[in-house]
Amino acid sequence: HDLTEQRRAQEHIYQLAHRDALTGLENRLALGDHLEQVLAQARRSGDTVALLFLDLDRFKTINDSQGHAAGDLLLIEVARRLRELLRNVDIIARLGGDEFIVAMSGQLSGELVGAMAVRIVQSLAQPYHLDGKVMHSGASVGIAMFPADADDCATLLRHADLAMYEAKTAGRGNFQFY
């Protein structure tokens, strides 16, 4: 019985350290570790890794006008929609605030990754029915790919972030490759 309690406690500590408490997605720490492993595997196998950096559109307005509880519900729903769209092997993480990361690996082409970005943008642009209210958000997505755009995690993240800002500058609700 003591061993079972100890295992539960260890699992709880692991979850606190590696999961976003609100959405249950991987957090920044877990993303870094997981992405390092994915890149190492891609180097060995010759695969491609696509990193999609998502930033929600109009999130601050929703948070300010509807309250933080409504913003939290929106973030939870975004996480649910992303889980539905992506494969079980894809990484989905919440960096914090309204920023999410999706990492895909395998034999990926720009066309395939672009098609996934379109699906993400379209899904997150659909109205959110939360707590009896209808809210509208959306997402801007920046994409960087390994090995073409970067050879390490930090650079890949930075390049995807830069591409996301280009997507926002181009009018939000779209995606841009680095």
Side-chain angles (χ1 to χ4, degrees), residues 61-132:
T61 302
I62 290 169
N63 234 7
D64 291 348
S65 66
Q66 303 295 321
H68 291 286
D72 286 352
L73 290 174
L74 179 67
L75 294 170
I76 292 166
E77 177 62 14
V78 166
R80 187 193 66 74
R81 289 182 187 187
L82 290 173
R83 281 188 198 101
E84 282 183 358
L85 282 174
L86 296 156
R87 308 170 297 178
N88 289 338
V89 296
D90 297 330
I91 301 167
I92 310 169
R94 178 173 172 231
L95 290 185
D98 63 341
E99 295 179 335
F100 294 82
I101 295 290
V102 171
M104 305 168 61
S105 61
Q107 296 296 313
L108 304 175
S109 65
E111 294 79 24
L112 179 72
V113 175
M116 179 52 72
V118 166
R119 290 179 61 203
I120 289 170
V121 167
Q122 288 174 341
S123 175
L124 299 184
Q126 296 303 307
Y128 294 84
H129 301 275
L130 305 169
D131 206 23

Side-chain angles (χ1 to χ4, degrees), residues 1 7 9 22 27 36-37 45 48-49 57 61 64-65 78 82 89 95 114 120 129-131 139 143 155 157 171 178:
H1 181 70
R7 282 191 192 121
L22 181 64
N27 63 16
E36 288 289 351
Q37 293 172 4
S45 64
T48 302
V49 176
D57 298 331
T61 302
D64 291 348
S65 66
V78 166
L82 290 173
V89 296
L95 290 185
I120 289 170
H129 301 275
L130 305 169
D131 206 23
I143 304 167
T155 308
L157 271 166
Y178 176 76

Side-chain angles (χ1 to χ4, degrees), residues 4 10 13 21-22 24 41 47 56 66 75 86 88 94 107 111 132 136 140 152 155-156 159-160 164 176:
T4 302
Q10 287 173 336
I13 291 167
L22 181 64
Q41 174 63 31
D47 282 346
L56 299 183
Q66 303 295 321
L75 294 170
L86 296 156
N88 289 338
R94 178 173 172 231
Q107 296 296 313
E111 294 79 24
H136 298 273
S140 297
D152 62 87
T155 308
L156 199 60
H159 288 174
M164 183 274 299
Q176 294 289 319

